[in-house]
Coordinates of all heavy atoms in Angstrom, one line a residue:
R1 N 52.3 108.4 26.7 CA 52.7 107.9 25.4 C 52.9 106.4 25.4 O 52.6 105.7 24.4 CB 54.0 108.6 24.9 CG 53.7 110.0 24.5 CD 54.8 110.7 23.9 NE 54.4 112.0 23.6 CZ 55.3 113.0 23.3 NH1 56.5 112.7 23.1 NH2 54.8 114.2 23.0
I2 N 53.5 105.8 26.4 CA 53.8 104.4 26.4 C 52.8 103.6 27.2 O 52.9 102.4 27.2 CB 55.3 104.1 26.9 CG1 55.5 104.5 28.3 CG2 56.3 104.8 26.0 CD1 56.8 104.1 28.9
C3 N 51.9 104.2 27.9 CA 50.8 103.5 28.6 C 49.5 104.2 28.2 O 49.0 105.0 28.9 CB 50.9 103.6 30.1 SG 52.3 102.8 30.8
P4 N 48.9 103.8 27.0 CA 47.7 104.5 26.6 C 46.5 104.3 27.5 O 45.6 105.1 27.5 CB 47.5 103.9 25.2 CG 48.3 102.7 25.1 CD 49.4 102.8 26.1
F5 N 46.5 103.2 28.2 CA 45.3 102.9 29.1 C 45.4 103.7 30.4 O 44.5 103.7 31.2 CB 45.2 101.5 29.4 CG 44.8 100.7 28.2 CD1 45.8 100.0 27.5 CD2 43.5 100.6 27.7 CE1 45.5 99.3 26.4 CE2 43.2 99.9 26.6 CZ 44.2 99.2 25.9
Y6 N 46.5 104.4 30.6 CA 46.7 105.2 31.8 C 45.7 106.4 31.9 O 45.4 106.9 32.9 CB 48.1 105.8 31.8 CG 48.6 106.5 33.0 CD1 48.9 105.7 34.2 CD2 48.7 107.9 33.1 CE1 49.3 106.4 35.3 CE2 49.0 108.5 34.2 CZ 49.4 107.8 35.4 OH 49.7 108.4 36.5
V7 N 45.3 106.8 30.7 CA 44.3 108.0 30.6 C 43.0 107.6 31.2 O 42.2 108.5 31.6 CB 44.2 108.5 29.2 CG1 43.3 107.6 28.4 CG2 43.7 109.9 29.1
L8 N 42.7 106.4 31.4 CA 41.4 106.0 32.0 C 41.2 106.5 33.5 O 40.1 106.8 33.9 CB 41.2 104.5 32.1 CG 41.0 103.8 30.8 CD1 41.0 102.3 31.0 CD2 39.7 104.2 30.1
G9 N 42.4 106.8 34.1 CA 42.3 107.3 35.5 C 41.9 108.8 35.5 O 41.5 109.3 36.6
L10 N 42.0 109.5 34.4 CA 41.6 110.9 34.4 C 40.1 111.1 34.0 O 39.7 112.2 33.9 CB 42.5 111.6 33.5 CG 44.0 111.5 33.8 CD1 44.8 112.2 32.8 CD2 44.3 112.1 35.2
T11 N 39.5 110.0 33.6 CA 38.1 110.1 33.2 C 37.1 109.7 34.3 O 37.6 109.2 35.3 CB 37.8 109.2 31.9 OG1 38.0 107.9 32.3 CG2 38.7 109.6 30.8
N12 N 35.9 109.8 34.1 CA 34.9 109.4 35.1 C 34.5 107.9 34.8 O 33.6 107.4 35.5 CB 33.7 110.3 35.2 CG 34.0 111.6 35.8 OD1 34.9 111.7 36.5 ND2 33.3 112.6 35.3
F13 N 35.1 107.3 33.8 CA 34.7 106.0 33.4 C 35.2 105.0 34.5 O 34.4 104.0 34.8 CB 35.3 105.7 32.1 CG 34.9 104.3 31.5 CD1 33.7 104.1 31.1 CD2 35.9 103.3 31.4 CE1 33.3 102.9 30.6 CE2 35.5 102.1 30.9 CZ 34.2 101.9 30.5
V14 N 36.4 105.1 35.0 CA 36.9 104.2 36.0 C 37.0 105.0 37.3 O 37.8 106.0 37.4 CB 38.3 103.6 35.6 CG1 38.8 102.8 36.7 CG2 38.2 102.9 34.3
T15 N 36.2 104.7 38.3 CA 36.2 105.5 39.6 C 37.1 104.9 40.6 O 37.5 105.6 41.5 CB 34.8 105.7 40.1 OG1 34.2 104.4 40.2 CG2 34.0 106.5 39.1
N16 N 37.3 103.6 40.6 CA 38.1 102.9 41.6 C 39.6 102.8 41.2 O 39.9 102.4 40.1 CB 37.5 101.5 41.8 CG 38.1 100.8 43.0 OD1 38.9 101.3 43.7 ND2 37.7 99.5 43.2
K17 N 40.5 103.1 42.1 CA 41.9 103.1 41.8 C 42.4 101.7 41.5 O 43.3 101.5 40.6 CB 42.7 103.8 42.9 CG 42.9 105.2 42.8 CD 44.2 105.6 43.3 CE 44.4 107.1 43.5 NZ 44.5 107.8 42.2
A18 N 41.9 100.7 42.2 CA 42.3 99.4 42.0 C 42.0 98.9 40.6 O 42.8 98.3 39.9 CB 41.8 98.4 43.0
S19 N 40.8 99.2 40.1 CA 40.4 98.8 38.8 C 41.1 99.6 37.7 O 41.4 99.2 36.6 CB 38.9 99.0 38.6 OG 38.5 100.3 38.8
W20 N 41.5 100.9 38.1 CA 42.3 101.7 37.1 C 43.7 101.1 37.0 O 44.2 101.0 35.9 CB 42.4 103.1 37.7 CG 43.3 104.0 36.9 CD1 43.4 104.1 35.6 CD2 44.3 104.9 37.5 NE1 44.4 105.1 35.3 CE2 44.9 105.5 36.5 CE3 44.6 105.2 38.8 CZ2 45.9 106.5 36.7 CZ3 45.6 106.2 39.0 CH2 46.2 106.8 38.0
F21 N 44.3 100.7 38.1 CA 45.6 100.0 38.0 C 45.5 98.7 37.2 O 46.4 98.4 36.4 CB 46.2 99.7 39.4 CG 46.5 100.9 40.2 CD1 46.6 100.9 41.6 CD2 46.8 102.2 39.6 CE1 47.0 102.0 42.3 CE2 47.1 103.3 40.3 CZ 47.2 103.2 41.7
L22 N 44.5 97.9 37.5 CA 44.3 96.7 36.8 C 44.1 96.9 35.3 O 44.7 96.2 34.5 CB 43.2 95.9 37.4 CG 43.0 94.5 37.0 CD1 44.2 93.7 37.4 CD2 41.7 93.9 37.6
A23 N 43.3 97.8 35.0 CA 43.0 98.1 33.5 C 44.3 98.6 32.8 O 44.6 98.2 31.7 CB 41.9 99.1 33.4
T24 N 45.1 99.4 33.5 CA 46.3 100.0 32.9 C 47.3 98.9 32.7 O 47.9 98.7 31.7 CB 46.9 101.1 33.8 OG1 45.9 102.1 34.0 CG2 48.1 101.6 33.2
I25 N 47.5 98.0 33.7 CA 48.5 97.0 33.7 C 48.1 95.9 32.7 O 48.9 95.5 31.8 CB 48.8 96.4 35.1 CG1 49.5 97.4 35.9 CG2 49.7 95.1 35.0 CD1 49.6 97.0 37.4
L26 N 46.9 95.4 32.7 CA 46.4 94.4 31.8 C 46.3 94.9 30.4 O 46.6 94.2 29.4 CB 45.1 93.8 32.3 CG 45.2 92.9 33.5 CD1 43.8 92.4 33.9 CD2 46.1 91.8 33.3
G27 N 45.8 96.1 30.2 CA 45.7 96.7 28.9 C 47.1 96.9 28.3 O 47.3 96.6 27.1
N28 N 48.0 97.4 29.0 CA 49.4 97.5 28.5 C 50.0 96.2 28.2 O 50.7 96.1 27.2 CB 50.2 98.3 29.5 CG 51.1 99.3 28.9 OD1 50.8 99.9 27.9 ND2 52.2 99.6 29.5
A29 N 49.8 95.2 29.0 CA 50.3 93.9 28.8 C 49.7 93.3 27.5 O 50.4 92.7 26.6 CB 50.1 92.9 29.9
F30 N 48.4 93.5 27.3 CA 47.8 93.0 26.1 C 48.3 93.7 24.8 O 48.6 93.1 23.8 CB 46.3 93.1 26.2 CG 45.5 92.6 25.1 CD1 45.4 91.2 24.9 CD2 44.8 93.4 24.2 CE1 44.7 90.7 23.8 CE2 44.1 92.9 23.1 CZ 44.1 91.5 22.9
L31 N 48.4 95.0 24.9 CA 48.9 95.8 23.8 C 50.3 95.5 23.4 O 50.6 95.2 22.2 CB 48.8 97.3 24.1 CG 49.1 98.3 23.0 CD1 48.1 98.2 21.9 CD2 49.2 99.7 23.6
Y32 N 51.2 95.4 24.4 CA 52.6 95.1 24.1 C 52.7 93.6 23.7 O 53.6 93.2 23.0 CB 53.5 95.4 25.3 CG 53.8 96.9 25.3 CD1 52.9 97.8 25.7 CD2 55.1 97.3 24.9 CE1 53.3 99.2 25.8 CE2 55.4 98.6 25.0 CZ 54.5 99.6 25.4 OH 54.9 100.9 25.5
G33 N 51.8 92.7 24.2 CA 51.8 91.3 23.8 C 51.5 91.2 22.3 O 52.1 90.4 21.6
L34 N 50.5 92.0 21.9 CA 50.1 92.0 20.4 C 51.3 92.5 19.6 O 51.6 91.9 18.5 CB 48.9 92.8 20.2 CG 47.6 92.2 20.6 CD1 46.5 93.2 20.4 CD2 47.3 91.0 19.8
V35 N 52.0 93.5 20.0 CA 53.1 94.0 19.3 C 54.2 93.0 19.3 O 54.9 92.8 18.2 CB 53.6 95.4 19.9 CG1 54.9 95.8 19.3 CG2 52.5 96.4 19.7
G36 N 54.5 92.3 20.4 CA 55.5 91.3 20.4 C 55.2 90.1 19.5 O 56.1 89.6 18.8
A37 N 54.0 89.7 19.5 CA 53.6 88.6 18.6 C 53.7 89.0 17.2 O 54.1 88.2 16.3 CB 52.1 88.2 18.9
G38 N 53.3 90.3 16.8 CA 53.5 90.7 15.5 C 54.9 90.8 15.0 O 55.3 90.4 13.9
L39 N 55.8 91.3 15.9 CA 57.2 91.3 15.6 C 57.8 89.9 15.4 O 58.6 89.7 14.5 CB 58.0 92.1 16.6 CG 57.7 93.6 16.7 CD1 58.5 94.2 17.8 CD2 58.2 94.3 15.4
A40 N 57.4 89.0 16.3 CA 57.8 87.6 16.1 C 57.3 87.0 14.9 O 58.1 86.2 14.2 CB 57.4 86.8 17.4
A41 N 56.1 87.3 14.5 CA 55.6 86.7 13.2 C 56.3 87.3 12.0 O 56.7 86.5 11.1 CB 54.1 87.0 13.1
V42 N 56.6 88.6 12.0 CA 57.4 89.2 10.9 C 58.8 88.6 10.9 O 59.3 88.3 9.8 CB 57.4 90.7 11.0 CG1 58.4 91.4 10.1 CG2 56.0 91.3 10.8

């Protein structure tokens, strides 16, 4: 629920664990960064 990019590890799209961790961390940072910027703008 709070890490939507975490589901990439359960698919065959990302096969390497390091790239799965990187995609999860960077994707979550980008997603929450957009939410933080939107809240700051409001």
Side-chain angles (χ1 to χ4, degrees):
R1 289 190 183 167
I2 64 175
C3 294
F5 293 99
Y6 188 77
V7 77
L8 288 174
L10 303 176
T11 63
N12 290 333
F13 183 69
V14 178
T15 57
N16 189 2
K17 271 212 190 287
S19 59
W20 171 46
F21 292 160
L22 190 64
T24 302
I25 293 170
L26 290 178
N28 221 30
F30 184 71
L31 182 68
Y32 279 76
L34 284 175
V35 169
L39 289 175
V42 168

